């Protein structure tokens, strides 16, 4: 999986790129590259945004600047990019990320993520360069960097080699193994704390009973959700 993130704040990803599951995914062949949009602006003084036509607060990311950054990275007209890779703009009003969407994106060979800032994107970026808009929830953050990291985290941890234990990403909340339900409860030592005892079945060593108990708890949580 190749992920390119177009951002005005590439330094935000320095910490993220050093996290274990991310370094594991990168060591296993994935790639995460940040492109600083400002490095490619054709405008003076590093300008990347401008005031909105029609008035109003805030600044809008310019379409010519985004085009220059995409052209510099891919060497093609960005209107043709969506044919070869998924170009996703982060936007609060986009398609809301869920496990099915993550699985869909994790199966792609390459993703391009566009992080907005300020008032967001000139609409022509969304109309002509991005094939889709993705939201991490119906609330507004200051920029697309955290949403991009949320997406990268969710996608990369699904890739082979990212997690220490391969089953970790298979049998967890919303997975097929759990019929799309939330995960069952976990317990660890001590077996009793302040009189709160771990369910006996988990101490029984009886794998089939434990499997059934977990599936039942998971179904209960799904029914209550
Ligand atoms: C302050 S927001 C712009 C909000 C925009 N004016 C609106 O009302 O929808 C700046 C940027 O942060 C990103 N962003 C903020 N909240 C987000 C969310 N919930 N999901 C995805 N991206 C988000 C987007 O890239 C957006 O362009």
């Amino acid at each position: 999986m190749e992920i390119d993130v177009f951002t005005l704040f590439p330094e935000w990803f320095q910490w993220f790129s050093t996290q274990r599951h991310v370094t594991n995914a990168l060591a296993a062949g994935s790639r995460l590259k940040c492109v600083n949009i400002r490095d490619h602006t054709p405008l003076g003084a590093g300008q990347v945004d401008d005031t909105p036509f029609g008035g109003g607060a805030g600044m809008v990311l310019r379409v010519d600047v985004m085009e220059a950054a995409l052209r510099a990275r891919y060497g093609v007209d960005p209107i043709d990019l969506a044919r070869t890779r998924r170009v996703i703009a982060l936007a609060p009003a986009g398609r809301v990320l869920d496990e099915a969407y993550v699985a869909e994106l994790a199966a792609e060979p390459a993703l391009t993520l566009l992080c907005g800032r300020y008032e967001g994107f000139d609409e022509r970026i969304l109309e002509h360069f991005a094939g889709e808009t993705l939201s991490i929830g119906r609330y507004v953050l200051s920029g697309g960097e955290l949403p991009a990291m949320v997406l990268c985290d969710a996608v990369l941890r699904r890739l082979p080699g990212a997690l220490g234990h391969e089953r970790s990403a298979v049998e967890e909340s919303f997975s097929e193994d759990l019929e799309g339900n939330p995960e069952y409860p976990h317990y660890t030592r001590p077996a009793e704390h302040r009189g709160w005892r771990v369910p006996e079945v988990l101490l029984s060593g009886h794998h089939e009973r434990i499997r059934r108990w977990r599936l039942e708890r998971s179904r209960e949580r799904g029914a209550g959700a």
Side-chain angles (χ1 to χ4, degrees):
M1 160 75 72
E2 268 185 30
I3 306 179
D4 288 346
V5 183
F6 286 70
T7 169
L8 291 168
F9 298 94
E11 63 276 11
W12 282 47
F13 292 83
Q14 279 166 12
W15 167 84
F16 178 71
S17 304
T18 62
Q19 300 312 297
R20 175 63 71 83
H21 61 292
V22 179
T23 56
N24 285 349
L26 300 183
S30 292
R31 216 176 39 73
L32 175 63
K33 177 165 176 60
C34 289
V35 176
N36 189 339
I37 299 166
R38 202 181 300 279
D39 287 348
H40 303 284
T41 180
L43 308 174
Q47 185 187 352
V48 292
D49 53 9
D50 222 319
T51 52
F53 282 128
M59 299 294 274
V60 177
L61 264 174
R62 287 177 56 135
V63 62
D64 51 349
V65 172
M66 190 59 87
E67 170 159 351
L70 288 165
R71 272 187 192 274
R73 173 79 184 129
Y74 301 113
V76 298
D77 186 333
I79 58 175
D80 295 326
L81 258 186
R83 290 194 204 123
T84 53
R85 57 194 296 136
R86 254 163 113 159
V87 181
I88 302 169
L90 285 314
R95 176 178 165 192
V96 176
L97 191 63
D98 61 10
E99 197 62 16
Y101 198 0
V102 170
E104 194 181 307
L105 296 178
E108 293 287 333
L111 301 176
T112 294
L113 310 182
L114 309 181
C115 301
R117 273 273 154 182
Y118 320 120
E119 271 312 303
F121 302 98
D122 183 301
E123 191 64 19
R124 291 165 291 185
I125 295 173
L126 308 180
E127 281 173 7
H128 301 291
F129 302 156
E132 64 205 272
T133 52
L134 183 152
S135 169
I136 61 162
R138 293 290 185 246
Y139 45 86
V140 179
L141 299 168
S142 314
E145 287 72 21
L146 288 173
M149 278 185 250
V150 167
L151 171 59
C152 290
D153 188 301
V155 163
L156 290 175
R157 71 191 299 282
R158 293 182 75 102
L159 302 183
L163 300 181
H165 195 303
E166 289 306 316
R167 291 293 300 164
S168 306
V170 173
E171 193 178 285
E172 62 184 356
S173 291
F174 320 122
S175 61
E176 272 179 33
D177 281 29
L178 296 182
E179 303 165 349
N181 291 312
E183 199 182 45
Y184 45 79
H186 292 289
Y187 299 88
T188 186
R189 293 183 185 83
E192 184 167 340
H193 178 72
R194 296 180 56 189
W196 305 324
R197 183 121 182 99
V198 168
E200 286 304 324
V201 62
L202 298 179
L203 308 174
S204 69
H206 193 299
H207 296 301
E208 181 51 24
R209 278 182 52 212
I210 293 170
R211 192 191 67 75
R212 273 190 274 119
W213 181 88
R214 286 178 164 165
L215 199 53
E216 281 161 19
R217 298 294 80 71
S218 176
R219 284 175 179 157
E220 273 173 16
R221 287 182 163 184

